[in-house]
Amino acid sequence: MMMMLQQAMSWGDVLMGIDPHSYAALGVAFAIGLSVVGAAWGIGLTGASLVGAAVKAPRIRSKNLISIIFCEAVAIYGVIMAIILLNKFNSGSGKSATVTYQDHFAGFAIFASGLTVGLSNLACGICVGITGSGCALADAQESSMFVKILIVEIFGSALGLFGVIVGIIQSADGSFQ
Amino acid sequence: MSAEAKEESKKEVQEYYEAQSYVRVGGEVGGLAYFNADHGYLEALLRGFRSGFLKEFELRQLCQCTTLEDVKLTFGDTDYCNVLNGVSKLGPDNITDLCWRKCANEFLFLRDQATGQLATFMDFVTHQYLIKNICFLITGLLNNSDPNSLLERMNPIGVFPGIRSVLTFENTQDGMVELYRTVLIDTPVAPYFEQYFNTEIQADEPYQQLQDVYNEVEIDIISNMLQKLWLEDFYYYTQELGGETAIIMKELLEFEADRRAIEIVINSFSTALNDQFSRDSERKALFAPFGTLYPEGIESFSKVGDMASLATALEPYAVFRTLWQRAQQDGISIQDALYAYEVQLNVLAFQGQSHFAAFYAYIKLKEQEKRNIWWITSCIFQQRDQKDFNRWLKIF
């Protein structure tokens, strides 16, 4: 029996010791999970104000659904990213016995990409929700306010788009062997 | 189960739920990201009601009316279009009462839908009217008015399920204490009565003052004392709520405390409260322990015996100084100037989103609108000149 010299373990060993596939799976979970949390939060915020304001001013009902659609778009970004990442995750996983450098890279890339998309969509969803609620209330009092506050919402929803763009570039080269 | 036992258990369940409705919920109220989950719908409904206030051009149209029938026609374009349907005899009190009942229905609808801290907050707003109603009923009984007409003339916002039993008050020795022990102890305003009784107990002769038989003036003082206690409680509760609510309500309630102090001083000028000896004890006890005027202004009110000395006492405070000067320049009373400033502050409360202050400001502004409608319809009824109409205030 050979006596093996025990070296002190460091955090690097712990992080590298985790299988890259689990990193990738977590990345997919963050991508879709956090995006949906953001979208749901936003729709809840906007929907409550919209329903209340439409009691006195029914004309705002159809126009203000745009705010809800902006929030929903955030969830769609999350679904798209999750599907893209899943395709990378499924390609070639489990075919080789040892974990290579490429696998580590793929695992980290997919994890980071998922986290990027998830967190930015979370923030974007809440932002659009709060702004949409203000938009519904202002539109009920004065119709000319709707278009102006919609511009604020458009800037808000661009935040989710930034996250998706960066996420796609992050995960572009990652693929399991 | 026999029919009697069923009736008994139903009554128990009802009492239990009534008791639950007096629970006070504290803690912090969420900011922009959390508020809408619990209270977003109601705030949006409230802002819908905000658009129902009479606008300036509608008030001017009302001023142009010659008879009260014209008033009914003018109401047809506003939110009050259905209020005067089927009313045979129109008079200023009648019209104002019906308009206020509409507002009260809307407010109580919001209160029924409210949960959590908003429910407690709106309950606080109703407690003020509850105190006024109880004192109104007692005053009515002292004047031997018809009990049924008293119940009809109460303010609909401040009503609790057992309010009929306040009519059992007898103006004898221990009458007030008996009323408290039997009826008032179950109401949400019981703590204020308790605090009032505790301050009235003298060291050597307990309950001496409470054994007195009351007259109208004393009921008025009791009412003011209870409202001071209510205002204090409300102030500390809103500060506990934190966030935007605390900031806006602080300003609104501090002005309310100051306005109330000035009004008490002005109303006390021709009464016994203005004596040198009772200024420091009785009159001072009616002032709230917060506000811009507290503590130095309140101290200086001990030397105030007439309007001139009141003006001197208010000199150091910029807001009240400018209001006093405006009142003298425009020839209106200081109370009207204070109302105008109050309207300005309450309108500003609607500027922010995700706070409770709008609910309080809504009731205050509806009060002003009630005063507007009452003044204009009274002027029309008494057929005064056009220049007398101008006491109404523009709200939105």
Side-chain angles (χ1 to χ4, degrees):
Chain A
M1 287 275 212
M2 272 198 291
M3 295 272 279
M4 302 239 301
L5 274 175
Q6 293 281 4
Q7 270 185 312
M9 292 284 281
S10 68
W11 278 108
D13 293 321
V14 172
L15 290 175
M16 294 298 280
I18 298 176
D19 193 296
H21 295 101
S22 76
Y23 279 122
L26 268 181
V28 175
F30 279 131
I32 184 63
L34 293 176
S35 302
V36 168
V37 168
W41 200 330
I43 292 180
L45 289 175
T46 306
S49 286
L50 178 53
V51 166
V55 171
K56 190 72 199 285
R59 60 182 166 77
I60 70 167
R61 280 173 312 191
S62 323
K63 268 204 296 188
N64 280 278
L65 287 177
I66 291 181
S67 305
I68 311 270
I69 291 173
F70 275 131
C71 289
E72 182 70 23
V74 159
I76 292 175
Y77 299 156
V79 171
I80 292 173
M81 262 329 273
I83 292 177
I84 293 175
L85 296 177
L86 269 176
N87 282 334
K88 297 183 193 308
F89 177 64
N90 285 329
S91 65
S93 55
K95 294 218 176 89
S96 63
T98 55
V99 175
T100 63
Y101 173 78
Q102 178 113 352
D103 288 342
H104 277 301
F105 179 80
F108 291 138
I110 298 176
F111 177 68
S113 171
L115 204 54
T116 307
V117 170
L119 287 176
S120 63
N121 281 344
L122 176 64
C124 172
I126 299 174
C127 165
V128 175
I130 295 173
T131 322
S133 136
C135 183
L137 294 179
D139 190 15
Q141 300 286 326
E142 167 105 21
S143 341
S144 62
M145 291 298 290
F146 176 70
V147 179
K148 299 182 169 64
I149 302 188
L150 197 63
I151 296 176
V152 179
E153 276 189 65
I154 291 171
F155 277 111
S157 77
L159 299 174
L161 217 44
F162 298 158
V164 171
I165 292 170
V166 171
I168 289 184
I169 300 174
Q170 267 178 325
S171 62
D173 283 334
S175 61
F176 285 100
Q177 278 193 323
Chain B
M1 252 210 282
S2 69
E4 241 183 87
K6 265 193 211 168
E7 201 60 51
E8 202 56 52
S9 74
K10 203 163 88 170
K11 200 167 150 217
E12 262 181 64
V13 167
Q14 185 190 4
E15 277 178 33
Y16 169 79
Y17 281 116
E18 276 175 9
Q20 284 295 94
S21 69
Y22 301 147
V23 166
R24 184 185 289 205
V25 179
E28 305 227 336
V29 168
L32 281 174
Y34 305 97
F35 186 85
N36 274 8
D38 289 322
H39 316 300
Y41 174 66
L42 291 175
E43 187 184 8
L45 275 182
L46 185 80
R47 285 177 186 274
F49 291 144
R50 175 203 188 279
S51 63
F53 276 91
L54 291 174
K55 301 187 193 35
E56 195 176 352
F57 76 90
E58 284 163 357
L59 283 167
R60 287 192 201 284
Q61 271 177 353
L62 274 180
C63 286
Q64 300 297 323
C65 293
T66 43
T67 68
L68 292 176
E69 287 295 328
D70 286 346
V71 168
K72 192 169 163 180
L73 280 174
T74 319
F75 272 170
D77 286 329
T78 67
D79 242 28
Y80 291 110
C81 48
N82 291 327
V83 164
L84 296 178
N85 281 350
V87 176
S88 49
K89 198 167 166 312
L90 290 174
D93 293 329
N94 215 358
I95 295 178
T96 316
D97 188 53
L98 287 168
C99 291
W100 179 253
R101 274 180 198 277
K102 173 180 184 294
C103 157
N105 280 339
E106 290 167 357
F107 186 78
L108 289 173
F109 172 74
L110 290 177
R111 166 64 193 90
D112 282 335
Q113 302 270 334
T115 60
Q117 285 112 331
L118 183 57
T120 312
F121 188 91
M122 292 178 89
D123 275 339
F124 263 109
V125 176
T126 61
H127 291 170
Q128 181 188 20
Y129 291 102
L130 184 54
I131 294 173
K132 283 186 188 166
N133 274 351
I134 293 175
C135 294
F136 170 74
L137 286 176
I138 295 178
T139 315
L141 286 173
L142 291 176
N143 291 340
N144 296 323
S145 311
D146 172 37
N148 286 329
S149 79
L150 282 178
L151 286 175
E152 276 169 28
R153 282 177 12 211
M154 280 192 314
N155 204 317
I157 293 185
V159 174
F160 70 96
I163 197 154
R164 290 182 149 271
S165 30
V166 175
L167 291 170
T168 59
F169 171 73
E170 283 165 38
N171 198 5
T172 59
Q173 278 196 349
D174 283 346
M176 193 59 128
V177 182
E178 270 309 304
L179 184 67
Y180 172 70
R181 230 184 273 146
T182 52
V183 177
L184 298 176
I185 195 131
D186 288 327
T187 63
V189 295
Y192 308 135
F193 279 92
E194 191 185 319
Q195 274 178 289
Y196 171 70
F197 290 148
N198 284 340
T199 57
E200 287 296 309
I201 290 176
Q202 307 291 330
D204 298 328
E205 299 165 11
Y207 291 104
Q208 175 60 39
Q209 306 232 1
L210 300 172
Q211 282 177 348
D212 292 343
V213 170
Y214 292 102
N215 60 23
E216 239 181 82
V217 173
E218 291 176 342
I219 297 287
D220 206 25
I221 295 177
I222 294 177
S223 169
N224 274 313
M225 178 69 104
L226 292 168
Q227 287 190 42
K228 175 205 108 165
L229 291 168
W230 163 80
L231 194 62
E232 211 179 316
D233 205 11
F234 195 16
Y235 181 71
Y236 291 129
Y237 177 71
T238 54
Q239 295 310 297
E240 195 187 294
L241 287 177
E244 187 103 356
T245 309
I247 296 172
I248 301 179
M249 288 306 291
K250 181 172 180 338
E251 199 170 332
L252 292 179
L253 290 181
E254 282 189 351
F255 181 75
E256 178 73 13
D258 296 335
R259 186 189 67 82
R260 199 182 276 279
I262 296 177
E263 209 169 297
I264 287 174
V265 169
I266 292 182
N267 287 342
S268 77
F269 281 154
S270 50
T271 67
L273 279 181
N274 208 14
D275 293 339
Q276 276 297 124
F277 302 111
S278 47
R279 272 185 212 169
D280 277 335
S281 57
E282 282 187 20
R283 194 168 80 178
K284 198 161 168 199
L286 293 174
F287 301 137
F290 61 90
T292 339
L293 288 177
Y294 177 83
E296 289 102 4
I298 301 289
E299 290 294 319
S300 66
F301 280 173
S302 309
K303 304 186 201 63
V304 169
D306 54 23
M307 293 295 265
S309 47
L310 181 58
T312 336
L314 292 177
E315 269 296 307
Y317 300 96
V319 171
F320 296 111
R321 188 176 61 230
T322 40
L323 283 176
W324 196 276
Q325 284 168 353
R326 229 201 81 190
Q328 285 189 322
Q329 276 173 353
D330 292 348
I332 56 179
S333 69
I334 183 66
Q335 274 114 330
D336 278 354
L338 286 169
Y339 280 141
Y341 188 69
E342 185 185 53
V343 166
Q344 267 183 301
L345 279 183
N346 282 303
V347 164
L348 288 177
F350 275 95
Q351 301 289 55
Q353 208 185 331
S354 308
H355 58 79
F356 292 157
F359 291 88
Y360 173 76
Y362 172 74
I363 281 289
K364 281 278 157 188
L365 291 171
K366 276 290 181 184
E367 284 265 357
Q368 178 59 42
E369 185 158 279
K370 177 175 150 190
R371 286 194 283 268
N372 281 351
I373 293 176
W374 185 83
W375 179 252
I376 293 177
T377 48
S378 299
C379 284
I380 293 176
F381 189 67
Q382 294 166 8
Q383 312 225 314
R384 291 213 198 169
D385 295 334
Q386 273 301 311
K387 61 174 169 49
D388 285 334
F389 275 77
N390 282 338
R391 246 180 108 189
W392 56 267
L393 293 168
K394 163 174 120 79
I395 299 179
F396 277 123

